[in-house]
Amino acid sequence: MQAFFDSTQFLHDPQQFMRLGRLTKPTDVLARAQALIGCLERNGAQVSVPKDWGVEQLHLVHSPAYIQYLATAYERWEALRAEGKNPGVEVLPNLSPFYSGTPGIPRVECPSPSLVAQTGYYLGDLSCPLGNGSWQAILRSAHTAASAAQAVIDGAPLAYALCRPSGHHAHYNRASGFCYVNNAALAAQMLSQQFGKVAVLDVDAHHGDGTQNIFYGRGDVLTVSTHGETSDYFPFYTGYAHETGAGAGAGCNLNLPLAHGCTTEQFLPSLDRGVDAIAQFGAQALVLSIGFDTYRDDPISVLQFDFDAYRHVGERLRQLGLPVVLVQEGGYMVEALDPGLQALLEGLQAVPAAAVVAAV
């Protein structure tokens, strides 16, 4: 298995996260990536530095104006400090422009050149601070996904993008939920140019709202998401079963909400339904948005999975027989990340745990 990561991704070191009206310590800590790298190294996987794809590659799934904002916001923020305006330690919004939440309806670009206005417009919530080094990490996280997609295009049956920051809550021109650039969508777009029909299966605890919205009107990309039911869980406004796509994408979006407290055994019928939909769609390649925040002891999960859930995911994908790009999303209990990834790899390769080292 080929895997991709760049140590530049450690430069994103958020200091603030708003939860229930309190600024708290962020859950997207550096140790998350370190734990996943440890699992890969133990299994003998080759971890390569991704190619530099430049900024333009991100325009495949995001607006140029939004990407330009991400690339320049921190420098502009610090310029305010030089002017004596005393901004905070990170770029954070103090405005929340109206967003209907209706999937498939694109937003226009921010009409104001003001940094404060653009920050409110492009950073969708208070979980997406931009600090010194954030943009470099965001860019290289996207390059990680692009390189994994290219590996599959070049013939690899499986490639893993250790993306940090994560991406599945990032919309065409809006950051949200720890996510800035939609790495899974970028990988899917690249695969679609080679394979035609592509599927994205998102098994994070949270609905992949950004991925859904980017492809909602597309008939060549099927998006499937299993996630904690969203009426009382982030992202709240999307992720419902009635959202099935629009226009050319009608019938190409499948949401499979899970009741809070759902166990591994209760999850399996939804997983099977999602895999069946991918097979019926006729996908020729697959992107798996893998989140380990479904684990029962994760600090922000509402689900109760054990590690067997990830083994089952791997087994189902192996049975599909499609080339797969694994894109890392959430998972905030650091101790669960290594065994979670280990179980997924075991399922993907259909070998006992003791034999994985030799097989990878």
Side-chain angles (χ1 to χ4, degrees), residues 5 22 36 45 76 116 123 142 156 172 181 196 237 311 315 328:
F5 181 77
R22 295 181 183 276
L36 293 164
R76 295 166 67 193
V116 173
L123 300 185
Y172 175 68
V181 167
Y237 310 115
R311 188 173 293 105
E315 290 171 351
Q328 187 61 52

Side-chain angles (χ1 to χ4, degrees), residues 144-221:
T144 295
S147 292
Q150 188 61 51
V152 165
I153 290 169
D154 291 341
L158 176 66
Y160 174 54
L162 204 178
C163 291
R164 183 185 178 274
S166 304
H168 70 153
H169 296 307
H171 294 243
Y172 175 68
N173 61 1
R174 182 168 67 93
S176 181
F178 311 147
C179 301
Y180 305 85
V181 167
N182 197 308
N183 308 303
L186 177 59
Q189 176 61 25
M190 291 178 62
L191 293 177
S192 72
Q193 295 171 342
Q194 175 70 22
F195 293 99
K197 284 191 170 185
V198 172
V200 180
L201 174 62
D202 190 323
V203 294
D204 189 271
H206 303 87
H207 174 235
D209 55 330
T211 310
Q212 169 179 296
N213 212 22
I214 287 171
F215 294 117
Y216 203 70
R218 295 266 296 268
D220 59 334
V221 179

Side-chain angles (χ1 to χ4, degrees), residues 213-262:
N213 212 22
I214 287 171
F215 294 117
Y216 203 70
R218 295 266 296 268
D220 59 334
V221 179
L222 173 71
T223 48
V224 179
S225 180
T226 63
H227 51 266
E229 200 275 324
T230 56
S231 63
D232 191 29
Y233 192 53
F234 187 88
F236 299 105
Y237 310 115
T238 62
Y240 299 93
H242 69 264
E243 299 162 4
T244 58
C252 293
N253 188 80
L254 176 62
N255 286 326
L256 300 166
L258 306 172
H260 294 195
C262 176

Side-chain angles (χ1 to χ4, degrees), residues 64-107:
Y66 171 61
I67 295 301
Q68 176 68 8
Y69 166 78
L70 292 178
T72 61
Y74 183 75
E75 181 180 349
R76 295 166 67 193
W77 193 257
E78 286 302 295
L80 295 178
R81 193 181 312 282
E83 297 170 7
K85 295 182 179 178
N86 196 30
V89 296
E90 296 172 302
V91 183
L92 277 175
N94 60 289
L95 300 167
S96 299
F98 174 75
Y99 168 60
S100 70
T102 304
I105 299 179
R107 299 194 311 166

